[in-house]
Every structure is written in structure tokens, then in C-alpha cells.
Amino acid sequence: MTDLNTLYQTDYSAWAKRHIELLRDRRFAELDIDHLLEELGDMSKSERRELASRLLILIAHLLKWEYQYPLLSERWREFDGRSWRNTIVEQRKQVSVLLRQAPGLKSTLGETISAVYPDAVDLASKETQLPPETFPEQCALTGAQLLDDDFFPNSA
């Protein structure tokens, strides 16, 4: 039998397939527990990072929509915010898919929104050149609003 520790270092795919076999056969004593725990932990971290990244972009674009769109659309009649809308639509779809594929992330949605909000404000501020104080100190958007395809904030 191949040493699973060595296999983990040299052929991750074979290591994973071997673990599937061992788990199906209920041969738990043969599992490479340390690496298995590391991989399972990383899977969860990766999903949480993806959720945070997508929410950051989504919130930043909704902030831009609320605080800069009215200014730009007044100055330039042809400005319709289409690229912002497309980004908002795309990020909402990706967050919805992620939450459907990893439903355990739903319980972290509020916490994740709060955690990424300062970075979303920073991004929106840099992209719009509006001072950070323009935006609320705390995120006023709920998880339901963030994921609602029909929700676009009104002007401030």
C-alpha cells in the first residue's frame, strides 16, 4: 500500500481518490487524518473567502449606485450605470450559487457583511473619489436586499 503521507505530497488527486475509497469501505483507521482535516478546513476557508470577496464587490457597487450614480446621471444623460448594474447582477448570482452549493455559509452571511463592509467602503471611495465619510459607518443593507435581484438603492 502506498504511504498516504507521501502520496499527499506527490499526487494530491490520487491521495483524494484513495480517501474516497477508504471512506466508502469504512476503513477509517487507514485515513491520513492530519492531512484530511487540513483539507477539510481549507475547503471551508476557501468558501468563506469567496463569499467575502463577492460580497465586498457587491456592496461596493451598491454603494457606488446609491451615492455616485445620481450625480453622474445628472451630469451625463448617456450615463446609465450599465457596467455597475452588470457587476451587481453577476455578484448576486455568484453569491446565490455559492450559498446554494454551501448552505452552511448562510449562517455567516450577516457576520461576513459586517466584516467586509469597511473594505467595500474603501473600494467605493477609491473608485468614486468620494470621501469615505460619504458612506454610512455601518452597512445599512440586509442580506435579503443584497441578494434581491430587484433591489437597487435609491439616491442618498
Side-chain angles (χ1 to χ4, degrees), residues 111-129:
E111 175 186 322
T112 306
I113 292 167
S114 295
V116 302
Y117 184 73
D119 291 321
V121 166
D122 184 57
L123 180 60
S125 174
K126 287 176 179 172
E127 289 184 358
T128 62
Q129 297 183 344

Side-chain angles (χ1 to χ4, degrees), residues 6-34:
T6 302
L7 194 56
Y8 179 79
Q9 304 298 329
T10 59
D11 188 349
Y12 177 81
S13 181
W15 175 89
K17 287 177 185 175
R18 182 68 182 134
H19 275 79
I20 291 169
E21 293 169 8
L22 291 171
L23 287 166
R24 280 195 180 121
D25 294 343
R26 300 190 179 286
R27 294 167 53 193
F28 304 125
E30 297 176 48
L31 295 173
D32 179 3
I33 298 294
D34 291 336

Side-chain angles (χ1 to χ4, degrees), residues 45-61:
K45 287 180 200 172
S46 175
E47 290 171 340
R48 289 192 310 265
R49 279 192 300 269
E50 181 179 354
L51 179 63
S53 175
R54 294 197 178 278
L55 285 172
L56 186 151
I57 294 166
L58 175 59
I59 293 168
H61 276 75

